[in-house]
Amino acid sequence: MNLFSQYKGLNKGFYIITLTVLINCAGSFVSVFLSLYLTSILGFNVAYTGIIVSAYTLLHIPGSLVGGKLADSYNRKNVMIASQFIMGLCFILAGFFLHSNFAIVALLIANFCDGITDPARSALEVDMTSPDDRQVAFSLLYQAYNVGFAIGPLLAGIFFNSYPQWLFWGNGVSLIVSIMIVAFFIPKDKLHNKNSKKETMGEKAVDGSILKALFSRPQLLFFSVGTLLIAISYKQISFVLPLQFNMKFASNGARIYGIVAAANAIMVILLNPVVLSISKKNPALKNILIAVLTYAIAFLLFGFAKLPWQFLALTLLYTIGEMLLNNNSKAYQNNNTPVNFRGRFNAVLPLFKTSGMMLAPILGGVFLERFSFMTVWIIAASLVLLTYFIYLYIYRKYEKYK
């Protein structure tokens, strides 16, 4: 079987969206080197740099809430085009004012606009899929993200020292080029496709406020709590693991961690089609349960691993879980999202993951001050195992007999 043939048959507009995501990620230069730009070019101290980076990150949240409402109230494609075009212009302007504080203002506006763009794009992606092909569609999208983000930091590293303004211009141009592709090659979406025979009962439109809509889907609230717990645990891979490697392998710690991190990225790109071909016939939540279990086992054993090959083997295990989780989470969420709330649900529910990612370094630092690396990984595994039982409850109560 040709592993890539399974990606055939999707909506043509979805392939265009996937291409634009690849372009966006490959051109995502600024976020990678933002802290370095603030310290080495603008000359800010570490504390002030941390405040700006935090503000930059946090502005994405109100932008996302605004974008979700706009995406459900107006044409999603137009919302996406307008916000991403402004975002691209802000990056280009920042490149012309590289040594000025105006660049910071432009970047803050840009990330607010990115927040507006994300739920509109997510809702548009869902509009172009059906429950039958969402696992395949989001797997393809996940591939585009990974390939793009493998290219972006590499190019950014080439530009930063010699041509730093091109970080901003390149980022801005890639955003404008990709959104022009959307403007010219994707037809106007239908905001509420209520007559689609492929929609599930979970997608049935509901009346009332977003709170009423959320409470009409309790399984999504439980699912999102699990997403927060997983994010707290998963983020320890980039926070706790490098520190653990430095302790275990001394001067070789950074090099070995780099190998492990690169192995994760390569495994995702090479193995994701294989994982999809094996798992795509399973219900999305069943695949997610398997993913969470692999996380729990891998994170627990990280606390006991001693040799580099052991860490590599555990990286393969959690990477399989990562692929299953990313291929299926958005599919499950949107299979249970009312069609007239797609924009807002795709703005609000990801905030659980964002919150977990923000809490993770704080909690990881607090725990490491008091406990050993082994204990921290046992705690991380316990949070994931708790998530497994939450998802098992959802599966048995809401999904098993569908």
Side-chain angles (χ1 to χ4, degrees), residues 31-228:
S31 60
V32 179
F33 284 90
L34 180 58
S35 58
L36 199 57
Y37 160 70
L38 293 170
T39 53
S40 63
I41 293 180
L42 290 184
F44 296 146
N45 61 40
V46 175
Y48 193 54
T49 294
I51 292 171
I52 294 173
V53 172
S54 296
Y56 178 83
T57 304
L58 287 171
L59 273 172
H60 194 276
I61 295 175
S64 182
L65 297 176
V66 171
K69 176 62 176 176
L70 292 175
D72 283 334
S73 303
Y74 303 100
N75 183 279
R76 309 195 209 282
K77 176 183 167 183
N78 291 343
V79 171
M80 181 182 168
I81 291 170
S83 56
Q84 187 167 313
F85 188 81
I86 295 170
M87 182 184 175
L89 287 179
C90 286
F91 278 118
I92 292 171
L93 282 172
F96 284 109
F97 295 90
L98 190 67
H99 299 280
S100 166
N101 287 342
F102 177 79
I104 299 173
V105 176
L107 291 177
L108 293 175
I109 296 171
N111 211 43
F112 179 80
C113 290
D114 187 38
I116 295 175
T117 303
D118 279 350
R121 179 174 52 242
S122 294
L124 190 59
E125 291 162 1
V126 178
D127 290 341
M128 294 178 178
T129 61
S130 72
D132 294 334
D133 62 19
R134 280 183 187 145
Q135 288 185 44
V136 174
F138 290 128
S139 171
L140 181 62
L141 206 59
Y142 181 51
Q143 284 291 88
Y145 276 110
N146 280 285
V147 173
F149 280 122
I151 297 170
L154 180 64
L155 295 176
I158 295 170
F159 288 141
F160 184 79
N161 287 322
S162 301
Y163 308 101
Q165 66 272 25
W166 275 103
L167 292 179
F168 300 90
W169 294 341
N171 205 325
V173 169
S174 66
L175 287 166
I176 291 174
V177 167
S178 69
I179 205 61
M180 288 299 100
I181 293 173
V182 170
F184 290 114
F185 294 101
I186 293 182
K188 290 183 178 180
D189 66 295
K190 294 180 180 178
L191 184 57
H192 304 311
N193 191 13
K194 294 179 180 178
N195 298 322
S196 172
K197 296 179 180 179
K198 294 185 178 180
E199 287 171 1
T200 63
M201 284 298 295
E203 295 177 273
K204 186 178 180 182
V206 298
D207 297 323
S209 68
I210 186 170
L211 285 177
K212 181 180 178 182
L214 281 169
F215 284 111
S216 75
R217 303 293 192 275
Q219 66 270 42
L220 284 186
L221 292 175
F222 288 128
F223 184 79
S224 298
V225 170
T227 300
L228 183 146

Side-chain angles (χ1 to χ4, degrees), residues 226-237:
T227 300
L228 183 146
L229 297 176
I230 290 172
I232 291 173
S233 300
Y234 181 86
K235 185 66 176 176
Q236 304 310 325
I237 294 170

